[in-house]
């Protein structure tokens, strides 16, 4: 089976503009994209405290740059072939090889790494590099998916449990790991993605359209239940959408 056949729904790059229409569109996306919503809920408190030098590893379209305090100094790095991940190049982004971070030891107060580690063949080595460029007492903040389709194939290598994350970040220091979402959010997310796949013009067929019409109301109901579950903690955290990690260098 080809990579294209496996990845029949490609991820939409995360972009956020600081103007009002951009913020509205970003908020509207979060209403439907539960992976992004739960990432934001985890990241926001940490972004608000990042007042020093911030390194964003695998920064993509730099969606979190505008959410940092004014006192912060932001640096984004990504691989030169970011176009393979649907990312357009920005002149402010520094290219790196995906393994060795091109900065001296103890350069940054914070390191941000969102939805990247699943695409890294040797995550332990990159985490060690993030620790190296972090000052003592500095903080690494990361998110990873757990329940997610194969994406950016063939550069999709891992799904992590909280136990594997604890092992990987043990080299950094004291680590907090949180589940992002629950089984009800996971179910809703799966239904939304199935509806997106069925709605693709290139995949259109009579049976597919009939299935889409049948599934769409169920998906919207599941989405509403998922939002309520995230608010009132109804679901099981044993089957999350992903995890958030905050690890302080000792």
């Amino acid at each position: 089976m080809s990579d294209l056949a496996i990845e029949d729904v490609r991820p939409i790059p995360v972009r956020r503009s600081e103007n009002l229409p951009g913020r509205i569109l970003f908020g509207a996306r979060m209403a439907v994209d539960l992976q992004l919503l739960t990432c934001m809920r985890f990241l926001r408190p940490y972004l608000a405290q990042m007042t020093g030098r911030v390194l964003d590893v695998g920064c993509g379209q730099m969606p979190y740059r505008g959410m940092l305090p004014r006192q912060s100094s932001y640096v984004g790095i990504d691989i030169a072939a970011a176009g393979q991940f649907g990312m357009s190049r920005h002149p402010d982004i520094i290219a790196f090889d995906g393994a060795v971070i091109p900065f001296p030891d103890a350069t940054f107060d914070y390191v941000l790494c969102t939805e990247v580690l699943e695409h890294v063949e040797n995550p332990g080595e990159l985490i060690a590099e993030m620790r190296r460029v972090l000052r003592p007492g500095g903080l690494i903040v990361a998110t990873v998916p757990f329940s997610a389709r194969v994406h950016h194939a063939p550069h999709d290598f891992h799904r992590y449990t909280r136990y594997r994350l604890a092992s990987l970040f043990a080299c950094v220091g004291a680590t907090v790991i949180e589940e992002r979402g629950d089984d009800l959010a996971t179910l809703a997310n799966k239904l939304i993605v199935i509806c997106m796949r069925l709605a693709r013009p290139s995949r259109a067929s009579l049976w597919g359209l009939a299935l889409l019409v049948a599934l769409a109301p169920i998906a919207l109901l599941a989405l509403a239940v998922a939002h309520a579950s995230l608010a009132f903690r109804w679901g099981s955290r044993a089957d999350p959408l992903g995890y958030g990690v905050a690890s302080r260098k000792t």
Side-chain angles (χ1 to χ4, degrees), residues 198-214:
L198 293 172
R200 288 184 62 191
S202 62
R203 299 276 176 167
S205 64
L206 288 177
W207 76 266
L209 291 175
L211 185 57
L212 175 61
V213 169

Side-chain angles (χ1 to χ4, degrees), residues 208-225:
L209 291 175
L211 185 57
L212 175 61
V213 169
L215 279 182
I218 299 172
L220 290 174
L221 176 60
L223 183 62
V225 171

Side-chain angles (χ1 to χ4, degrees), residues 28 115 120 122 171 179-180 200-201 213 224:
E115 308 296 276
V120 179
N122 298 298
C171 69
E179 285 78 10
R180 295 191 294 100
R200 288 184 62 191
V213 169

Side-chain angles (χ1 to χ4, degrees), residues 7-246:
E7 193 175 0
D8 49 10
V9 177
R10 291 180 176 270
I12 301 170
V14 179
R15 301 182 176 94
R16 183 181 184 273
S17 173
E18 287 306 301
N19 58 38
L20 182 60
R23 292 183 180 184
I24 292 173
L25 286 173
F26 192 78
R29 174 172 175 177
M30 285 196 296
V32 180
D33 187 342
L34 297 177
Q35 286 280 7
L36 178 59
L37 175 65
T38 57
C39 280
M40 285 302 308
R41 287 186 173 182
F42 175 77
L43 291 171
R44 271 199 178 109
Y46 293 105
L47 293 172
Q49 66 177 313
M50 293 184 180
T51 55
R53 296 203 69 192
V54 181
L55 175 67
D56 191 352
V57 178
C59 61
Q61 304 288 282
M62 302 186 293
Y64 308 110
R65 182 183 191 179
M67 302 178 68
L68 295 170
R70 292 182 180 178
Q71 304 93 323
S72 66
S73 174
Y74 176 93
V75 177
I77 64 173
D78 212 329
I79 60 171
Q84 296 179 13
F85 295 82
M87 310 295 178
S88 57
R89 297 299 301 175
H90 189 284
D92 290 346
I93 297 174
I94 297 171
F96 85 122
D97 63 5
V100 178
I101 296 176
F103 293 98
D105 297 358
T107 301
F108 297 94
D109 301 292
Y110 300 92
V111 174
L112 186 62
C113 185
T114 60
E115 308 296 276
V116 169
L117 291 174
E118 71 271 24
H119 303 297
V120 179
E121 291 193 64
N122 298 298
E125 294 179 5
L126 183 59
I127 291 169
E129 274 291 283
M130 290 191 284
R131 182 189 186 281
R132 179 185 64 78
V133 300
L134 192 66
R135 67 165 177 81
L139 190 68
I140 296 175
V141 179
T143 66
V144 296
F146 178 71
S147 176
R149 294 169 60 86
V150 171
H151 58 289
H152 298 311
H155 310 289
D156 190 357
F157 305 113
H158 310 282
R159 296 294 179 270
Y160 303 98
T161 65
R162 66 162 34 249
Y163 310 106
R164 179 58 175 148
L165 290 168
S167 174
L168 284 170
F169 282 89
C171 69
V172 179
T175 300
V176 173
I177 300 171
E178 293 182 13
E179 285 78 10
R180 295 191 294 100
D182 55 30
D183 54 355
L184 294 173
T186 294
L187 175 61
N189 191 65
K190 294 292 187 186
L191 289 171
I192 292 293
V193 173
I194 290 171
C195 288
M196 290 174 59
R197 175 171 61 81
L198 293 172
R200 288 184 62 191
S202 62
R203 299 276 176 167
S205 64
L206 288 177
W207 76 266
L209 291 175
L211 185 57
L212 175 61
V213 169
L215 279 182
I218 299 172
L220 290 174
L221 176 60
L223 183 62
V225 171
H227 279 282
S229 181
L230 292 174
F232 298 107
R233 301 181 70 88
W234 290 344
S236 169
R237 296 277 167 163
D239 189 12
L241 287 166
Y243 293 90
V245 180

